Amino acid sequence: MLQKSVLQQQRAAYQPKLPSVLWGPVKMQLGQPTESVADQETVKSLFPCTYGMPEITFVENDTPDQPAEPINVGVILSGGQAPGGHNVISGLFDGIKSIHPDSRLYGFLMGPDGLVKHNYKELTGEIVDQYRNTGGFDIIGSGRTKLEKKEQFDAALEILKKLEIKAVVIIGGDDSNTNAALMAEYFKANNETIQVIGCPKTIDGDLKNEFIETSFGFDTATKVYSELIGNIERDCNSAKKYWHFIKLMGRSASHIALECALQTQPNYCLIGEEVEAKKLELHDIVLDLTRLVIARHEQGDDYGVVLIPEGLLLFAPAFKSLIEQLDAIMGDFKKEISLLDPDDKIHFMRSQMSNENLAMLDSLPQTLGRQLLLDRDSHGNVQLSLIDTEKLISQLVGQEITKINVRLKKENQIPFSTQLHFFGYEGRCAAPSNFDADYCYALGYNATKLIACGVTGYMSSVRNLTAPSSQWLAGGIPITMMLNIEMRNGVPKPVIRKALVDLEGRPFKDFAEQRETWAMNTCYVYPGPIQYFGPTEVCDQPSRTLQLEQNP
Ligand code: FBP
């Protein structure tokens, strides 16, 4: 039996709110046939059985949901942890039990690997009840295995048939939902009736579009980081002697950094998408920050707080070109490289690189260069969470300040003391905010409605999220609609297009309008911890990003 804190005991009693349309039986309202966001012909040819399906919106129905017999459903948690995953599972559990009390839920262990290797456990009411409204993915664990090969799908089919599973729900980010689309297509193409449904998860907030207003976990994670940043700002404003450089998770998009900036009003926040649009190089960023350090020094403020998105370096053109070439080499020589030991691998990779990219690589600290050449995740992504961008940037600014100090008299020296932080794992398993607790439960419950309707290759979609939860809309969106073709490891692949920060959108514009004031004045905001109880304005507010996006 898990030991529970007092807050956990309180949260266990929380009853997540469902959209009113999901309170009773539903029927599907079908929209127009859909197209993928880009590369339509190629995506269509790769997904002949699941391409072009219509959007689904649920409306209330007078007759009970089909089927009225028990159903068995499988569930997988895939990719990085995000607050609310357990609530998707509780929603699924309650949803299938509402269809029939003898329905069963099977959890595949440690991500997609559990499905392929047939590691699973039945999630009974007793187990699910232990995890309601808790953070983490520990109920069944998670993993990053990419499901894309025929052998994997066949192994999955074997266990799904053995357990008489009607549908499998993949709770994951863009890569994992791409897997869901591939599996749905494979099953349908082979006349297998097992359905595949996706659920939009990632703290990064980059799995969103017209029908997926936000991925779950973003709300809670950014609230946790904003609390921590606020605490640091207060320390910074008390001691007035440090520049704090804070890297924030978000492998590609800078949504987390932007949301935290809107919440906490730091002195400086980099947005990767702006760096790319303005074609800024690392050197330009360093010089701009150096100017700010000097300007604040001149008004007597030798301190400040700087937010840096994890994915920043990939937006700087020279760095990006370096990574793209490394990806291409990895793709072209995958087999040869896999046989080499690390030093030979580095030697080989270097021998294939252009002079410009070699120069860029050699301008970076040696450990970072080595990381870029060697460390990739199973999807072939550079592991940006392992790169100390905050250290790199603060050191480079420090070097600039040192150059200036050499020319200044002793009494005029510019002090520049730094503290480094990285917030990522601190927020990924926090107990879900009320918003995420409700949203996730609704996503899971809604997935069972999609299953009952017999559809496959859809993502559970709950929207109108800035309205009270009773007014949220529910339905499904074909995953193929979100696909485009991108290079992965040098090979073109169908993947869900990531939603990057929109520089024309309200969240960025609000930030851009205020950042100069925040830079020179100390306008820190201290949001404090997530509030689970209390006035609605305090505890039920979705992220600032979502509010600004929905009310442009
Ligand atoms: P997902 O996209 O799978 O949700 O993961 C997001 C993330 O938290 C990123 O912000 C971060 O770069 C990455 O996971 C870290 O991965 P890992 O957990 O494997 O260290």
Side-chain angles (χ1 to χ4, degrees):
M1 177 69 81
L2 295 171
Q3 180 142 9
K4 287 189 175 174
S5 69
V6 177
L7 182 69
Q8 269 180 285
Q9 290 167 32
Q10 290 284 324
R11 290 306 281 164
Y14 179 76
Q15 182 52 54
K17 300 184 272 301
L18 270 183
S20 60
V21 69
L22 297 182
W23 293 349
V26 294
K27 62 180 174 207
M28 293 193 284
Q29 208 167 59
L30 299 181
Q32 295 302 311
T34 56
E35 294 268 25
S36 61
V37 285
D39 309 308
Q40 288 83 7
E41 285 312 311
T42 316
V43 177
K44 191 175 180 180
S45 68
L46 293 170
F47 294 84
C49 304
T50 51
Y51 188 87
M53 300 184 299
E55 298 141 22
I56 295 171
T57 304
F58 286 131
V59 290
E60 285 163 28
N61 194 7
D62 299 333
T63 47
D65 285 336
Q66 294 297 320
E69 303 111 48
I71 56 169
N72 292 352
V73 167
V75 62
I76 300 171
L77 288 164
S78 182
Q81 284 71 251
H86 289 159
N87 270 29
V88 181
I89 292 181
S90 352
L92 262 178
F93 181 84
D94 293 351
I96 60 167
K97 291 290 180 186
S98 78
I99 290 172
H100 195 287
D102 292 337
S103 297
R104 289 170 162 219
L105 183 62
Y106 291 96
F108 290 96
L109 306 180
M110 303 311 291
D113 233 24
L115 183 62
V116 176
K117 297 189 178 148
H118 301 185
N119 293 326
Y120 64 91
K121 73 173 176 198
E122 185 179 346
L123 297 173
T124 60
E126 203 186 339
I127 296 174
V128 172
D129 286 349
Q130 296 290 319
Y131 290 90
R132 289 179 191 268
N133 309 311
T134 59
F137 278 5
D138 42 322
I139 187 169
I140 46 174
S142 185
R144 289 195 184 275
T145 300
K146 185 154 177 59
L147 283 181
E148 56 181 355
K149 299 194 187 98
K150 180 181 177 318
E151 310 83 73
Q152 293 173 310
F153 296 144
D154 289 337
L157 265 179
E158 192 187 327
I159 189 67
L160 293 170
K161 283 182 178 171
K162 185 171 159 212
L163 297 173
E164 296 179 357
I165 284 177
K166 175 174 166 62
V168 59
V169 176
I170 299 185
I171 303 170
D174 51 344
D175 280 328
S176 315
N177 276 286
T178 301
N179 298 348
L182 289 167
M183 197 155 82
E185 177 67 28
Y186 183 83
F187 289 174
K188 216 166 170 186
N190 289 284
N191 296 320
E192 299 289 352
T193 55
I194 298 172
Q195 300 157 248
V196 186
I197 302 293
C199 272
K201 169 237 69 166
T202 177
I203 59 159
D204 292 2
D206 55 8
L207 174 45
K208 63 177 167 183
N209 51 49
E210 197 187 335
F211 300 95
I212 306 297
E213 292 176 2
T214 186
S215 54
F216 79 76
F218 175 77
D219 185 76
T220 311
T222 52
K223 282 180 174 143
V224 172
Y225 304 143
S226 296
E227 179 201 357
L228 298 174
I229 294 164
N231 295 349
I232 285 173
E233 286 178 336
R234 202 136 219 175
D235 195 293
C236 180
N237 201 21
S238 307
K240 301 194 191 295
K241 64 175 181 182
Y242 290 125
W243 275 87
H244 290 264
F245 285 77
I246 306 173
K247 182 176 76 167
L248 291 157
M249 256 191 190
R251 194 198 338 253
S252 306
S254 306
H255 298 293
I256 292 181
L258 178 57
E259 171 69 17
C260 292
L262 291 167
Q263 295 277 355
T264 62
Q265 306 189 172
N267 302 101
Y268 201 84
C269 174
L270 286 154
I271 299 296
E273 290 81 345
E274 185 183 28
V275 166
E276 182 173 55
K278 293 186 173 168
K279 298 191 170 43
L280 301 176
E281 296 294 357
L282 187 55
H283 187 62
D284 302 314
I285 294 168
V286 168
L287 289 188
D288 198 39
L289 254 167
T290 306
R291 279 192 286 272
L292 176 64
V293 172
I294 297 167
R296 281 183 65 84
H297 168 73
E298 282 167 356
Q299 64 181 24
D301 296 333
D302 290 312
Y303 61 91
V305 172
V306 179
L307 304 187
I308 302 170
E310 183 186 17
L312 177 79
L313 295 175
L314 274 187
F315 288 99
F319 198 91
K320 190 174 176 202
S321 139
L322 166 66
I323 299 297
E324 280 174 354
Q325 186 167 47
L326 292 179
D327 279 348
I329 299 170
M330 294 244 185
D332 290 348
F333 300 100
K334 202 172 176 182
K335 215 167 174 185
E336 294 86 332
I337 290 172
S338 67
L339 302 171
L340 299 175
D341 68 30
D343 285 338
D344 288 341
K345 189 171 170 183
I346 291 175
H347 185 72
F348 178 80
M349 302 276 292
R350 290 183 65 93
S351 73
Q352 301 295 318
M353 289 168 66
S354 69
N355 289 342
E356 294 77 28
N357 287 336
L358 261 181
M360 176 69 205
L361 186 73
D362 291 336
S363 73
L364 300 170
Q366 222 184 349
T367 43
L368 174 54
R370 209 179 147 83
Q371 250 176 314
L372 294 179
L373 292 172
L374 295 177
D375 299 343
R376 298 291 165 119
D377 71 12
S378 57
H379 296 286
N381 298 316
V382 178
Q383 290 185 281
L384 286 171
S385 61
L386 302 181
I387 297 177
D388 301 329
T389 322
E390 71 288 16
K391 186 168 168 191
L392 179 68
I393 294 180
S394 68
Q395 277 177 352
L396 295 174
V397 174
Q399 282 171 16
E400 294 301 318
I401 300 289
T402 307
K403 278 191 225 162
I404 296 165
N405 277 342
V406 170
R407 300 196 298 267
L408 296 175
K409 287 195 188 135
K410 207 172 166 199
E411 60 275 22
N412 293 336
Q413 294 283 299
I414 304 167
F416 182 65
S417 301
T418 59
Q419 293 291 342
L420 308 178
H421 315 267
F422 168 37
F423 297 147
Y425 300 99
E426 293 77 355
R428 294 201 316 184
C429 284
S433 60
N434 287 352
F435 173 82
D436 270 330
D438 296 348
Y439 180 43
C440 291
Y441 186 79
L443 283 171
Y445 203 92
N446 182 56
T448 65
K449 300 280 185 190
L450 290 167
I451 295 167
C453 290
V455 299
T456 189
Y458 276 80
M459 191 181 286
S460 176
S461 159
V462 174
R463 39 195 211 280
N464 198 27
L465 296 171
T466 48
S469 50
S470 59
Q471 293 166 29
W472 290 355
L473 305 173
I477 170 168
I479 304 177
T480 51
M481 192 181 170
M482 303 174 209
L483 296 175
N484 70 164
I485 304 293
E486 289 176 21
M487 297 301 281
R488 290 289 159 98
N489 277 338
V491 179
K493 292 256 162 124
V495 289
I496 291 181
R497 184 195 266 177
K498 278 189 194 297
L500 300 179
V501 169
D502 176 7
L503 300 181
E504 294 305 317
R506 193 68 211 274
F508 178 79
K509 283 194 165 167
D510 263 33
F511 158 73
E513 270 165 26
Q514 300 177 78
R515 64 179 154 187
E516 275 176 33
T517 314
W518 302 346
M520 291 308 291
N521 305 301
T522 301
C523 309
Y524 302 151
V525 176
Y526 315 114
I530 297 176
Q531 297 295 313
Y532 298 104
F533 316 101
T536 321
E537 313 81 271
V538 181
C539 56
D540 283 347
Q541 289 301 308
S543 68
R544 202 66 66 84
T545 303
L546 188 57
Q547 292 181 53
L548 291 170
E549 281 173 347
Q550 299 298 308
N551 303 296

